[in-house]
mmCIF file with all atom_site columns, all heavy atoms in Angstrom:
data_model
loop_
_atom_site.group_PDB
_atom_site.id
_atom_site.type_symbol
_atom_site.label_atom_id
_atom_site.label_alt_id
_atom_site.label_comp_id
_atom_site.label_asym_id
_atom_site.label_entity_id
_atom_site.label_seq_id
_atom_site.pdbx_PDB_ins_code
_atom_site.Cartn_x
_atom_site.Cartn_y
_atom_site.Cartn_z
_atom_site.occupancy
_atom_site.B_iso_or_equiv
_atom_site.pdbx_formal_charge
_atom_site.auth_seq_id
_atom_site.auth_comp_id
_atom_site.auth_asym_id
_atom_site.auth_atom_id
_atom_site.pdbx_PDB_model_num
ATOM 1  N N   . THR A 1 2   ? 44.139  9.891  36.406  1.00 0.00 ? 885  THR A N   1
ATOM 2  C CA  . THR A 1 2   ? 45.370  9.395  35.809  1.00 0.00 ? 885  THR A CA  1
ATOM 3  C C   . THR A 1 2   ? 45.304  7.879  35.647  1.00 0.00 ? 885  THR A C   1
ATOM 4  O O   . THR A 1 2   ? 45.680  7.326  34.633  1.00 0.00 ? 885  THR A O   1
ATOM 5  C CB  . THR A 1 2   ? 46.596  9.760  36.700  1.00 0.00 ? 885  THR A CB  1
ATOM 6  O OG1 . THR A 1 2   ? 46.389  11.077 37.160  1.00 0.00 ? 885  THR A OG1 1
ATOM 7  C CG2 . THR A 1 2   ? 47.878  9.666  35.922  1.00 0.00 ? 885  THR A CG2 1
ATOM 8  N N   . ASP A 1 15  ? 37.962  -3.918 23.267  1.00 0.00 ? 898  ASP A N   1
ATOM 9  C CA  . ASP A 1 15  ? 37.479  -3.568 24.609  1.00 0.00 ? 898  ASP A CA  1
ATOM 10 C C   . ASP A 1 15  ? 36.887  -2.169 24.616  1.00 0.00 ? 898  ASP A C   1
ATOM 11 O O   . ASP A 1 15  ? 35.832  -1.917 25.209  1.00 0.00 ? 898  ASP A O   1
ATOM 12 C CB  . ASP A 1 15  ? 38.627  -3.630 25.637  1.00 0.00 ? 898  ASP A CB  1
ATOM 13 C CG  . ASP A 1 15  ? 39.032  -5.064 25.916  1.00 0.00 ? 898  ASP A CG  1
ATOM 14 O OD1 . ASP A 1 15  ? 38.169  -5.966 25.654  1.00 0.00 ? 898  ASP A OD1 1
ATOM 15 O OD2 . ASP A 1 15  ? 40.150  -5.309 26.365  1.00 0.00 ? 898  ASP A OD2 1
ATOM 16 N N   . ILE A 1 17  ? 35.603  -0.498 22.121  1.00 0.00 ? 900  ILE A N   1
ATOM 17 C CA  . ILE A 1 17  ? 34.294  -0.483 21.431  1.00 0.00 ? 900  ILE A CA  1
ATOM 18 C C   . ILE A 1 17  ? 33.235  -1.043 22.354  1.00 0.00 ? 900  ILE A C   1
ATOM 19 O O   . ILE A 1 17  ? 32.151  -0.485 22.501  1.00 0.00 ? 900  ILE A O   1
ATOM 20 C CB  . ILE A 1 17  ? 34.375  -1.285 20.110  1.00 0.00 ? 900  ILE A CB  1
ATOM 21 C CG1 . ILE A 1 17  ? 35.256  -0.527 19.105  1.00 0.00 ? 900  ILE A CG1 1
ATOM 22 C CG2 . ILE A 1 17  ? 32.970  -1.515 19.514  1.00 0.00 ? 900  ILE A CG2 1
ATOM 23 C CD1 . ILE A 1 17  ? 35.567  -1.294 17.841  1.00 0.00 ? 900  ILE A CD1 1
ATOM 24 N N   . PRO A 1 30  ? 21.801  8.940  14.526  1.00 0.00 ? 913  PRO A N   1
ATOM 25 C CA  . PRO A 1 30  ? 21.528  10.131 13.687  1.00 0.00 ? 913  PRO A CA  1
ATOM 26 C C   . PRO A 1 30  ? 22.382  10.162 12.417  1.00 0.00 ? 913  PRO A C   1
ATOM 27 O O   . PRO A 1 30  ? 21.918  10.602 11.366  1.00 0.00 ? 913  PRO A O   1
ATOM 28 C CB  . PRO A 1 30  ? 21.868  11.301 14.613  1.00 0.00 ? 913  PRO A CB  1
ATOM 29 C CG  . PRO A 1 30  ? 22.092  10.757 15.962  1.00 0.00 ? 913  PRO A CG  1
ATOM 30 C CD  . PRO A 1 30  ? 22.212  9.275  15.891  1.00 0.00 ? 913  PRO A CD  1
ATOM 31 N N   . ALA A 1 71  ? 0.805   9.998  6.554   1.00 0.00 ? 954  ALA A N   1
ATOM 32 C CA  . ALA A 1 71  ? 1.182   10.979 5.531   1.00 0.00 ? 954  ALA A CA  1
ATOM 33 C C   . ALA A 1 71  ? -0.080  11.364 4.776   1.00 0.00 ? 954  ALA A C   1
ATOM 34 O O   . ALA A 1 71  ? -0.932  10.509 4.497   1.00 0.00 ? 954  ALA A O   1
ATOM 35 C CB  . ALA A 1 71  ? 2.210   10.399 4.573   1.00 0.00 ? 954  ALA A CB  1
ATOM 36 N N   . LEU A 1 166 ? -0.331  27.854 -6.185  1.00 0.00 ? 1049 LEU A N   1
ATOM 37 C CA  . LEU A 1 166 ? 0.389   27.099 -5.148  1.00 0.00 ? 1049 LEU A CA  1
ATOM 38 C C   . LEU A 1 166 ? 0.588   27.943 -3.892  1.00 0.00 ? 1049 LEU A C   1
ATOM 39 O O   . LEU A 1 166 ? 0.485   27.442 -2.768  1.00 0.00 ? 1049 LEU A O   1
ATOM 40 C CB  . LEU A 1 166 ? 1.745   26.616 -5.679  1.00 0.00 ? 1049 LEU A CB  1
ATOM 41 C CG  . LEU A 1 166 ? 1.668   25.573 -6.795  1.00 0.00 ? 1049 LEU A CG  1
ATOM 42 C CD1 . LEU A 1 166 ? 3.061   25.171 -7.251  1.00 0.00 ? 1049 LEU A CD1 1
ATOM 43 C CD2 . LEU A 1 166 ? 0.879   24.344 -6.353  1.00 0.00 ? 1049 LEU A CD2 1
ATOM 44 N N   . TYR A 1 231 ? 10.162  2.364  -16.304 1.00 0.00 ? 1114 TYR A N   1
ATOM 45 C CA  . TYR A 1 231 ? 10.536  0.976  -16.028 1.00 0.00 ? 1114 TYR A CA  1
ATOM 46 C C   . TYR A 1 231 ? 12.026  0.902  -15.726 1.00 0.00 ? 1114 TYR A C   1
ATOM 47 O O   . TYR A 1 231 ? 12.799  1.769  -16.145 1.00 0.00 ? 1114 TYR A O   1
ATOM 48 C CB  . TYR A 1 231 ? 10.150  0.033  -17.177 1.00 0.00 ? 1114 TYR A CB  1
ATOM 49 C CG  . TYR A 1 231 ? 10.775  0.329  -18.529 1.00 0.00 ? 1114 TYR A CG  1
ATOM 50 C CD1 . TYR A 1 231 ? 11.962  -0.294 -18.919 1.00 0.00 ? 1114 TYR A CD1 1
ATOM 51 C CD2 . TYR A 1 231 ? 10.170  1.199  -19.419 1.00 0.00 ? 1114 TYR A CD2 1
ATOM 52 C CE1 . TYR A 1 231 ? 12.522  -0.054 -20.159 1.00 0.00 ? 1114 TYR A CE1 1
ATOM 53 C CE2 . TYR A 1 231 ? 10.734  1.460  -20.666 1.00 0.00 ? 1114 TYR A CE2 1
ATOM 54 C CZ  . TYR A 1 231 ? 11.903  0.833  -21.023 1.00 0.00 ? 1114 TYR A CZ  1
ATOM 55 O OH  . TYR A 1 231 ? 12.478  1.091  -22.250 1.00 0.00 ? 1114 TYR A OH  1
ATOM 56 N N   . VAL A 1 252 ? 17.130  8.916  -17.017 1.00 0.00 ? 1135 VAL A N   1
ATOM 57 C CA  . VAL A 1 252 ? 17.350  7.844  -16.040 1.00 0.00 ? 1135 VAL A CA  1
ATOM 58 C C   . VAL A 1 252 ? 17.488  8.411  -14.639 1.00 0.00 ? 1135 VAL A C   1
ATOM 59 O O   . VAL A 1 252 ? 18.189  9.401  -14.434 1.00 0.00 ? 1135 VAL A O   1
ATOM 60 C CB  . VAL A 1 252 ? 18.623  7.037  -16.399 1.00 0.00 ? 1135 VAL A CB  1
ATOM 61 C CG1 . VAL A 1 252 ? 18.833  5.910  -15.389 1.00 0.00 ? 1135 VAL A CG1 1
ATOM 62 C CG2 . VAL A 1 252 ? 18.510  6.467  -17.801 1.00 0.00 ? 1135 VAL A CG2 1
ATOM 63 N N   . GLU A 1 286 ? -7.953  20.857 -37.898 1.00 0.00 ? 1169 GLU A N   1
ATOM 64 C CA  . GLU A 1 286 ? -8.244  22.298 -37.831 1.00 0.00 ? 1169 GLU A CA  1
ATOM 65 C C   . GLU A 1 286 ? -9.733  22.593 -37.933 1.00 0.00 ? 1169 GLU A C   1
ATOM 66 O O   . GLU A 1 286 ? -10.517 22.084 -37.152 1.00 0.00 ? 1169 GLU A O   1
ATOM 67 C CB  . GLU A 1 286 ? -7.448  23.035 -38.913 1.00 0.00 ? 1169 GLU A CB  1
ATOM 68 C CG  . GLU A 1 286 ? -5.972  23.056 -38.564 1.00 0.00 ? 1169 GLU A CG  1
ATOM 69 C CD  . GLU A 1 286 ? -5.168  23.881 -39.530 1.00 0.00 ? 1169 GLU A CD  1
ATOM 70 O OE1 . GLU A 1 286 ? -5.744  24.532 -40.423 1.00 0.00 ? 1169 GLU A OE1 1
ATOM 71 O OE2 . GLU A 1 286 ? -3.937  23.868 -39.371 1.00 0.00 ? 1169 GLU A OE2 1
ATOM 72 N N   . THR A 1 298 ? -22.047 17.156 -33.645 1.00 0.00 ? 1181 THR A N   1
ATOM 73 C CA  . THR A 1 298 ? -21.531 18.467 -34.012 1.00 0.00 ? 1181 THR A CA  1
ATOM 74 C C   . THR A 1 298 ? -21.339 19.236 -32.722 1.00 0.00 ? 1181 THR A C   1
ATOM 75 O O   . THR A 1 298 ? -22.296 19.379 -31.951 1.00 0.00 ? 1181 THR A O   1
ATOM 76 C CB  . THR A 1 298 ? -22.565 19.241 -34.864 1.00 0.00 ? 1181 THR A CB  1
ATOM 77 O OG1 . THR A 1 298 ? -22.853 18.421 -35.999 1.00 0.00 ? 1181 THR A OG1 1
ATOM 78 C CG2 . THR A 1 298 ? -22.030 20.578 -35.339 1.00 0.00 ? 1181 THR A CG2 1
ATOM 79 N N   . LEU A 1 416 ? -19.204 10.216 -24.935 1.00 0.00 ? 1299 LEU A N   1
ATOM 80 C CA  . LEU A 1 416 ? -19.688 9.446  -26.076 1.00 0.00 ? 1299 LEU A CA  1
ATOM 81 C C   . LEU A 1 416 ? -19.188 9.958  -27.438 1.00 0.00 ? 1299 LEU A C   1
ATOM 82 O O   . LEU A 1 416 ? -18.701 9.150  -28.249 1.00 0.00 ? 1299 LEU A O   1
ATOM 83 C CB  . LEU A 1 416 ? -21.225 9.407  -26.032 1.00 0.00 ? 1299 LEU A CB  1
ATOM 84 C CG  . LEU A 1 416 ? -21.889 8.233  -26.726 1.00 0.00 ? 1299 LEU A CG  1
ATOM 85 C CD1 . LEU A 1 416 ? -21.287 6.896  -26.313 1.00 0.00 ? 1299 LEU A CD1 1
ATOM 86 C CD2 . LEU A 1 416 ? -23.393 8.240  -26.422 1.00 0.00 ? 1299 LEU A CD2 1
ATOM 87 N N   . PRO A 1 471 ? 13.375  12.720 7.898   1.00 0.00 ? 1354 PRO A N   1
ATOM 88 C CA  . PRO A 1 471 ? 13.306  12.903 9.357   1.00 0.00 ? 1354 PRO A CA  1
ATOM 89 C C   . PRO A 1 471 ? 12.181  13.856 9.735   1.00 0.00 ? 1354 PRO A C   1
ATOM 90 O O   . PRO A 1 471 ? 11.757  14.651 8.944   1.00 0.00 ? 1354 PRO A O   1
ATOM 91 C CB  . PRO A 1 471 ? 14.652  13.523 9.708   1.00 0.00 ? 1354 PRO A CB  1
ATOM 92 C CG  . PRO A 1 471 ? 15.120  14.183 8.462   1.00 0.00 ? 1354 PRO A CG  1
ATOM 93 C CD  . PRO A 1 471 ? 14.533  13.392 7.320   1.00 0.00 ? 1354 PRO A CD  1
#
Side-chain angles (χ1 to χ4, degrees):
T885 319
D898 288 338
I900 291 172
L1049 293 180
Y1114 60 93
V1135 181
E1169 289 185 5
T1181 303
L1299 205 50

